[in-house]
Amino acid sequence: TTFTINYGFTAAAVNDVMVQVVDSSGDYDGDTVFAEVERVDTSRCSIKFGSAPDNNKTYRVLCFKIA
């Protein structure tokens, strides 16, 4: 399962963005979720999961411009 995330900003280079996925569904609120992150270009990335998240899960993607 893949989700495309648009940053809302443009980084100087593809690797100038730090991406973190966190659980915001309540039980494990704020815990880091490990997923594959592919930086597609300077303004978006793809978050890839090995299998689809449960329907009751809500995740937030935090994108930080680091340069």
Side-chain angles (χ1 to χ4, degrees):
T1 302
T2 302
F3 298 92
T4 299
I5 307 299
N6 295 307
Y7 303 140
F9 58 81
T10 301
V14 173
N15 60 350
D16 285 347
V17 178
M18 184 174 71
V19 180
Q20 183 178 16
V21 181
V22 296
D23 189 320
S24 62
S25 58
D27 294 341
Y28 302 100
D29 202 25
D31 285 359
T32 299
V33 175
F34 293 95
E36 180 181 344
V37 175
E38 178 186 349
R39 289 159 182 84
V40 177
D41 56 35
T42 57
S43 61
R44 63 192 168 112
C45 70
S46 292
I47 306 295
K48 299 178 181 183
F49 292 91
S51 59
D54 292 339
N55 286 335
N56 63 342
K57 289 294 184 182
T58 304
Y59 298 137
R60 296 185 81 185
V61 178
L62 309 174
C63 304
F64 302 92
K65 189 174 179 180
I66 56 174

